Amino acid sequence: MAKQPEQVLEEQLIEQLKKLNYCLVSIKDENELIINLKRQLEKHNNIKFSEKEFEKVLNILSRGSVFDKAKTLREKQHLVRDNGDNLYFEFLQTDHWCQNEFQVTNQVAMEGKYKNRYDVTLLINGLPLVQVELKRRGLELKEAFNQINRYQRHSFGANSALYQYIQIFIISNGVNTKYYANNRFQSFKQTFYWTDKDNKRLTNILNGFSSEFLEPCHISKMICKYIVLNEAQKILMVLRPYQYYAVEALVDKVMHSRANGYIWHTTGSGKTLTSFKASQILTTLPKVKKVIFVVDRKDLDYQTTKEFNSFSKGSVDGTDNTKALVQQITDDTKLIVTTIQKLNTAISKQHYVAKLEQMKDERIVFIFDECHRSQFGETHAKINKFFNNPQMFGFTGTPIFVENAVKNDLGKRTTKELFGECLHKYVITDAIKDENVLKFSVEYVGRYKKKDSATEIDIEVEDIDTKELMESPLRLNKIADYILAHHNRKTHGKEFTAMFCVNSIETLVKYYDIFQKKKDEGQHNLKIATIFSYAANEEDADANGFIPEELSVVEEPKVLYGLQVHSREKLDEYIEHYNKMFETNFSTKDSESFYNYYNDISKKVRERKIDILLVVNMYLTGFDSPPLNTLYVDKNLRYHGLIQAYSRTNRILNEQKSQGNIVAFRNLKKLTDEAITLFSNKEAIEVIIMKPYEEYVKKFNEAFIALLKITPTVNSVNDLQSENDELEFIKAFRELIRIRNILTAFADFKWQDLAMNEQLFEDFKSKYLDLYDKVKSNHT
């Protein structure tokens, strides 16, 4: 009987694994799995278990959920021997991950609700820690993913439930291979390709993937170091390849040099998890006294502390004030999360400096989040001046280059000048290719007419620099009407939320009042909220991307009181609207109340309770809200400021969220192209920016008209006279298919928008397929 393709692939994989020094072992069922486990644990721990003692081992292994078992796997174990002695042993050597026993087996049969037989299992010290599910070439990987989900429901948890110790699943059809952590609640979108350091995928399981990813030391290192046990959600998370390479590069730099460096990972790629894992590993190095993770806003201090502690409970204490920070720097706290403002105060104010003297010569590693922000240059200099042995690393999605550097007291400082070499790079095109972030659909709305002498001429929006025209009530009203008319479509019936960023507080006040008036008149029922604390009213003229440090309000109330009286009163008025809308009680009376207002807005945007958030600079960097899918822009943006602002919209959420919508009421086309070119390359514009939905609708309808000129009806395809005519039809309909495929990527796609209905498309498609096969056959 001929072998099935899956069986051939399975045998080839096992042969490769044997060459990688896996020991092939035949295990038919659970009983043989347990017998092998006893042998391997005895070998690994250099001990012998009596039958009664091994029953105790199996009892330890049987407790808890998949998450609990993952913790058990990594913990040192203890039991009382038959003779009363204490016995200490381990299931996995996590510090020296190569020093474990590696085996491979296949076609293990397990009987639970149904009987299942698993393809290839990798055993470490006898425990099944990696499961490989294979499909024949041509089948979708999702079939293997779905099959593993069935195993989880039907048999992994049966009897001794040893298969619940699996840490990593691998699915492959030979040519495409992905991996993911053992978390039965995740979607197929949370499966990852492995890559090399330059983000080149290794997809073929026999040619590249197995030799790199499944090499015993590497897969053991992934399990021991690069799986995060998320305490908040009680799930396993595994790092993606670019996260792995970044952490490895950073840790290697600390272990073997005193040089600094930075990680360039695009916004939305999971920098928090990467920086947490780097920080966590660095705290275990004997030569490192402390790791201080520095954020530039108090809300991020709280958010990062919360996220770090969700990854590992109690791993970090937040610093409520500078005094607490100084205490943590001088005590035995290993990992500290703090704001740049508190750090600056600690190393500047004399009464704190005296207490920190004892730490000047210690090896302290500083990790800066969002290190493109301007204030890091100043703190960088102060740290170097105060500490004798600091080592500094930065994380950024948008580095500062010569082109986008802004001059300050220290001159024009690039990220490379501040932090040294880039240790790893993962840019927005990489993230889009990996489906870690979405593309942008950018729509430019509005052209304006201006009288020049006696002639009325059209001019590009970016050429309009007259404040009078840009802030005219007529223009602002028209923009508000446009937003109200299109908001439902952009957010899919308010399934998602939006942000509207404008150039100044003065303009924001005008917009808010316009929206409120229209609401009072019954023109809309949108929940619109706003917040600002920028202590100046001038326009953000060059929009250089260095968002003013408006959130220092939560540290220094004076910024709030720097608002002009009118702005302050307006802000209180708008907060009062908010209070009525949500039955809250916020105000600007003190910094704490204002900070609580800020936090509540953040929460409600994420919960989709606010339809449009109106801002000047706040929330345009560092704010993650996956349900936010639209950014309305009436503000000059450029370089990193532009990319950061756009990136508020392109977080992955679900199948319905197909892109981040940017609706620009200024012509930012040139600036958008320049920003993408700087942070990726010129060719990336096509990859990152989708054309507006309406443009694809127009192209489809034009292609449909072209098709009708060749074949006015479906039946007229039968009357095509020559092969050239047939080829013309094939090319014309293929163009329709191409545009239809783009259109269906938009969540708001409807056949009613097109000149051709779905049934007519399918009828033509049937003719197209028949004709395509005929022409192809003739040419063959």
Side-chain angles (χ1 to χ4, degrees), residues 640-659:
H640 49 291
L642 183 144
I643 296 293
Q644 289 284 341
Y646 283 17
S647 297
R648 297 315 101 209
T649 67
N650 73 336
R651 300 299 191 265
I652 299 284
L653 179 63
N654 54 26
E655 301 295 334
Q656 191 179 21
K657 187 178 178 184
S658 55
Q659 77 271 346

Side-chain angles (χ1 to χ4, degrees), residues 581-593:
M581 198 159 36
F582 296 111
E583 298 181 348
T584 52
N585 188 30
F586 302 111
S587 73
T588 67
K589 67 180 180 182
D590 57 55
S591 61
E592 196 58 37
S593 180

Side-chain angles (χ1 to χ4, degrees), residues 367-464:
I367 298 179
F368 294 93
D369 189 32
E370 304 292 354
C371 70
H372 57 273
R373 300 288 289 268
S374 60
Q375 55 268 51
F376 284 124
E378 300 157 25
T379 308
H380 191 283
K382 287 180 181 178
I383 289 171
N384 271 325
K385 187 177 178 182
F386 184 85
F387 292 100
N388 296 324
N389 287 306
Q391 194 166 10
M392 288 180 271
F393 299 95
F395 278 81
T396 179
T398 49
I400 303 300
F401 302 109
V402 172
E403 295 90 333
N404 62 320
V406 175
K407 192 170 184 178
N408 57 25
D409 293 341
L410 298 170
K412 283 194 171 188
R413 301 296 297 275
T414 66
T415 304
K416 185 176 182 180
E417 286 173 328
L418 284 174
F419 290 96
E421 69 170 307
C422 178
L423 303 180
H424 192 258
K425 185 163 73 170
Y426 183 79
V427 299
I428 190 168
T429 43
D430 297 317
I432 288 172
K433 180 184 72 176
D434 291 342
E435 297 183 357
N436 288 328
V437 298
L438 301 169
K439 292 184 177 186
F440 300 115
S441 171
V442 185
E443 179 182 356
Y444 301 102
V445 178
R447 289 176 66 84
Y448 301 90
K449 294 192 174 184
K450 182 181 177 184
K451 288 190 176 180
D452 182 22
S453 304
T455 314
E456 191 172 76
I457 58 168
D458 266 356
I459 59 171
E460 293 297 329
V461 179
E462 70 225 30
D463 294 332
I464 301 172

Side-chain angles (χ1 to χ4, degrees), residues 651-687:
R651 300 299 191 265
I652 299 284
L653 179 63
N654 54 26
E655 301 295 334
Q656 191 179 21
K657 187 178 178 184
S658 55
Q659 77 271 346
N661 295 318
I662 311 299
V663 182
F665 301 106
R666 301 186 179 212
N667 194 339
L668 301 178
K669 173 76 169 68
K670 183 167 175 281
L671 294 169
T672 298
D673 291 351
E674 285 174 355
I676 291 169
T677 302
L678 180 65
F679 295 113
S680 191
N681 56 64
K682 193 171 183 179
E683 289 68 40
I685 295 166
E686 296 283 320
V687 177

Side-chain angles (χ1 to χ4, degrees), residues 267-382:
T267 51
S269 61
K271 290 195 295 295
T272 304
L273 179 59
T274 312
S275 56
F276 163 75
K277 182 45 75 175
S279 302
Q280 187 188 50
I281 292 173
L282 290 176
T283 58
T284 66
L285 302 180
K287 60 175 71 174
V288 174
K289 183 73 174 178
K290 286 182 188 295
V291 177
I292 300 179
F293 189 83
V294 187
V295 297
D296 67 334
R297 304 200 313 244
K298 187 177 175 183
D299 64 302
L300 292 180
D301 184 6
Y302 168 78
Q303 184 180 313
T304 305
T305 299
K306 187 179 172 185
E307 288 186 35
F308 274 26
N309 282 330
S310 78
F311 298 144
S312 180
K313 197 172 182 179
S315 64
V316 62
D317 289 322
T319 53
D320 291 332
N321 52 52
T322 305
K323 185 179 177 182
L325 170 62
V326 171
Q327 178 62 36
Q328 288 187 5
I329 293 176
T330 53
D331 66 19
D332 59 359
T333 304
K334 289 286 284 184
L335 176 56
I336 301 167
V337 174
T338 191
T339 63
I340 197 161
Q341 292 88 356
K342 286 194 285 257
L343 182 58
N344 265 327
T345 304
I347 58 179
S348 302
K349 295 282 177 72
Q350 194 52 47
H351 60 288
Y352 293 132
V353 168
K355 293 179 182 177
L356 293 175
E357 280 292 328
Q358 59 181 295
M359 303 300 293
K360 286 188 104 168
D361 295 324
E362 297 289 355
R363 181 89 181 272
I364 299 177
V365 176
F366 293 87
I367 298 179
F368 294 93
D369 189 32
E370 304 292 354
C371 70
H372 57 273
R373 300 288 289 268
S374 60
Q375 55 268 51
F376 284 124
E378 300 157 25
T379 308
H380 191 283
K382 287 180 181 178

Side-chain angles (χ1 to χ4, degrees), residues 454-512:
T455 314
E456 191 172 76
I457 58 168
D458 266 356
I459 59 171
E460 293 297 329
V461 179
E462 70 225 30
D463 294 332
I464 301 172
D465 55 7
T466 59
K467 190 169 186 284
E468 183 183 359
L469 180 57
M470 294 303 283
E471 296 185 13
S472 71
L474 179 63
R475 176 181 180 271
L476 302 189
N477 265 283
K478 282 188 173 181
I479 288 173
D481 286 339
Y482 184 92
I483 289 171
L484 295 177
H486 293 84
H487 183 76
N488 257 21
R489 186 175 62 80
K490 288 293 178 186
T491 59
H492 311 301
K494 298 197 287 189
E495 182 69 22
F496 303 110
T497 62
M499 195 185 294
F500 184 12
C501 65
V502 301
N503 64 298
S504 69
I505 290 176
E506 187 182 347
T507 307
L508 181 148
V509 167
K510 290 176 182 176
Y511 269 122
Y512 187 96

Side-chain angles (χ1 to χ4, degrees), residues 547-742:
I547 306 302
E549 298 160 43
E550 71 277 359
L551 279 187
S552 57
V553 63
V554 300
E555 310 253 347
E556 297 291 344
K558 64 185 181 188
V559 177
L560 232 188
Y561 300 116
L563 283 172
Q564 290 185 2
V565 175
H566 175 68
S567 299
R568 177 82 184 278
E569 288 172 350
K570 279 294 185 182
L571 182 55
D572 268 323
E573 179 189 330
Y574 302 157
I575 293 175
E576 207 42 53
H577 292 164
Y578 185 92
N579 289 336
K580 285 177 184 172
M581 198 159 36
F582 296 111
E583 298 181 348
T584 52
N585 188 30
F586 302 111
S587 73
T588 67
K589 67 180 180 182
D590 57 55
S591 61
E592 196 58 37
S593 180
F594 182 79
Y595 179 48
N596 290 337
Y597 175 56
Y598 173 87
N599 272 342
D600 201 67
I601 283 181
S602 303
K603 183 168 173 275
K604 284 186 168 56
V605 170
R606 292 188 180 106
E607 292 172 347
R608 294 184 283 196
K609 292 178 180 175
I610 292 172
D611 296 312
I612 300 175
L613 179 60
L614 186 54
V615 300
V616 178
N617 291 310
M618 278 187 169
Y619 290 93
L620 296 185
T621 64
F623 176 66
D624 282 347
S625 174
L628 199 156
N629 84 325
T630 299
L631 178 71
Y632 302 113
V633 183
D634 188 14
K635 175 185 180 75
N636 293 327
L637 293 168
R638 64 192 299 191
Y639 293 133
H640 49 291
L642 183 144
I643 296 293
Q644 289 284 341
Y646 283 17
S647 297
R648 297 315 101 209
T649 67
N650 73 336
R651 300 299 191 265
I652 299 284
L653 179 63
N654 54 26
E655 301 295 334
Q656 191 179 21
K657 187 178 178 184
S658 55
Q659 77 271 346
N661 295 318
I662 311 299
V663 182
F665 301 106
R666 301 186 179 212
N667 194 339
L668 301 178
K669 173 76 169 68
K670 183 167 175 281
L671 294 169
T672 298
D673 291 351
E674 285 174 355
I676 291 169
T677 302
L678 180 65
F679 295 113
S680 191
N681 56 64
K682 193 171 183 179
E683 289 68 40
I685 295 166
E686 296 283 320
V687 177
I688 295 168
I689 304 293
M690 296 173 74
K691 290 182 172 64
Y693 175 78
E694 293 77 10
E695 194 162 329
Y696 290 113
V697 168
K698 183 183 174 189
K699 283 180 179 291
F700 183 94
N701 291 339
E702 288 171 353
F704 178 47
I705 291 167
L707 178 77
L708 293 180
K709 288 178 180 175
I710 301 167
T711 49
T713 65
V714 173
N715 288 333
S716 63
V717 177
N718 303 328
D719 302 328
L720 293 171
Q721 296 298 308
S722 66
E723 189 175 283
N724 277 343
D725 293 339
E726 292 173 340
L727 283 169
E728 284 301 308
F729 166 76
I730 288 171
K731 283 193 285 185
F733 191 76
R734 185 181 288 159
E735 178 64 6
L736 268 184
I737 293 174
R738 185 187 73 80
I739 303 168
R740 192 282 311 261
N741 287 345
I742 295 171

